[in-house]
Amino acid sequence: MIKSSYYVLGVMSGTSLDGIDLAYVNITLHEKWQYEFLHCETIPYPELWFKKLKNLLGLSKAELKETDSYYTQYLATTINTFISKHQITNLDFISSHGHTALHEPKKGVTVQIGNNQKLADLTKQIVVCDFRAQDVKLGGQGAPLVPMGDKLLFSKYTYCLNLGGFANVSSQKNGKRIAYDICPANIVLNHYVANLGLDFDDCGNIAASGEVNSLLLNELNNLEFYKKTNPKSLGLEWVKEHIIPCIDSYQLTIPDILRTFAVHVAEQIGVQIPNGKTLITGGGAYNLFLIKEIKKQTLSKITIPDSELVDFKEALVFSLLGVLRVRKETNILSSVTGAKKNHCSGIMFHP
């Protein structure tokens, strides 16, 4: 499948559980890689799936296997509906991230559900997926993977900052692309705003109404993870062990929690993007309070692009990773993940 133009459906489900991001894109190679969004949509999770995905960590192996099967069915139905709705007939393959059920690279474990033969069979399309597992086997963190796209598609920026469930950043340093998770972001903010019956803090207005608790802020900023050098990555397990108990011990109001944590996120990000030009994408780009706080912490010129790129950059990049996989070219960088070598990752399933 070596050619100069690919029509791909990128499928992404992140830790913030906003829903399934679907991006039908045209990726081309003419001297350099370029992209065009053709159709994009986020399908919010119904309450049933939201709850199931939120509680994957507590499942036994047998329960996880059963959930994987049902999730693949749900994912396939969602994809087929999208293809039908937009009358997509020109499609080289689906490139799917799946949904992370378990990510503990230190233990050599990373599991994404929805990455299997059944997805190809039910969609009747070639599926490229399971990008993380090989990297973990090679001693890497299996994350973040988006920096390959930053390198090939967004190299004019000093930093590419994603504000999703976790805040992560990538940049070019000494001729190498480096990237790492900075801190949790929406995964924590959304967890607390859920107590108010909301999915997210619209524009960060609730956080803006709260007060910063300096003791909590100081304790968060002194967590051991922030002293580590890259490569490093975070998962839901770490948040449940280190962040939630820490915040809960202070028994604060929700506005005070949201403001304190948003300032914490901004301070951690400010250390990592001191200057230059920064592209911000991910759901957190809409949190105006958080963006304002980040701007206080850095001299970097912040760019927030149009909503298509903000919302669907990860789905776009997984489309590109899929293209590189079918071309048998490097799509995972050891300088980013800490793996033994650069490699071409991803499994291909044919219907």
Side-chain angles (χ1 to χ4, degrees), residues 105-231:
K106 276 187 182 175
K107 297 178 181 176
V109 175
T110 185
V111 177
Q112 282 73 44
I113 59 174
N115 285 343
N116 53 55
Q117 179 66 49
K118 188 176 178 181
L119 189 60
D121 294 340
L122 292 173
T123 59
K124 298 181 174 58
Q125 302 286 345
I126 295 169
V127 172
V128 185
C129 60
D130 204 12
F131 293 95
R132 298 186 190 277
Q134 179 174 289
D135 190 73
V136 170
K137 282 180 185 169
L138 287 169
Q141 293 278 315
L145 301 189
V146 171
M148 190 69 191
D150 295 338
K151 178 181 179 178
L152 297 179
L153 299 175
F154 304 106
S155 59
K156 69 178 183 179
Y157 294 98
T158 318
Y159 304 100
C160 289
L161 176 67
N162 176 62
L163 291 176
F166 296 90
N168 48 59
V169 67
S170 88
S171 62
Q172 204 73 6
K173 191 174 182 181
N174 301 325
K176 285 185 176 181
R177 176 64 48 170
I178 62 161
Y180 46 92
D181 285 343
I182 298 174
C183 61
N186 296 340
I187 197 169
V188 174
L189 296 171
N190 294 353
H191 170 81
Y192 284 102
V193 86
N195 294 325
L196 303 176
L198 300 170
D199 293 330
F200 58 92
D201 181 7
D202 190 21
C203 295
N205 289 333
I206 300 171
S209 73
E211 299 288 335
V212 172
N213 183 290
S214 55
L215 290 175
L216 172 58
L217 180 62
N218 189 52
E219 189 171 342
L220 290 170
N221 283 336
N222 280 296
L223 285 166
E224 198 60 34
F225 178 82
Y226 302 128
K227 297 167 190 168
K228 292 181 180 177
T229 54
N230 62 286

Side-chain angles (χ1 to χ4, degrees), residues 192 209-211 247 250-260:
Y192 284 102
S209 73
E211 299 288 335
I247 292 173
Y250 283 81
Q251 299 181 311
L252 304 177
T253 64
I254 301 300
D256 288 0
I257 290 172
L258 295 176
R259 181 162 194 147
T260 303

Side-chain angles (χ1 to χ4, degrees), residues 14-16 53-54 57 99-106 109-112 132 141-144 165-168 180-185 187-188 223 225-226 228 232-245 261:
T15 47
S16 51
L53 296 176
K54 202 175 179 182
L57 283 180
H99 185 84
T100 301
L102 190 62
H103 184 69
E104 297 188 78
K106 276 187 182 175
V109 175
T110 185
V111 177
Q112 282 73 44
R132 298 186 190 277
Q141 293 278 315
F166 296 90
N168 48 59
Y180 46 92
D181 285 343
I182 298 174
C183 61
I187 197 169
V188 174
L223 285 166
F225 178 82
Y226 302 128
K228 292 181 180 177
K232 57 181 182 174
S233 64
L234 289 165
L236 176 58
E237 307 83 7
W238 186 86
V239 171
K240 286 189 169 182
E241 185 181 345
H242 296 281
I243 297 286
I244 304 300
F261 196 77

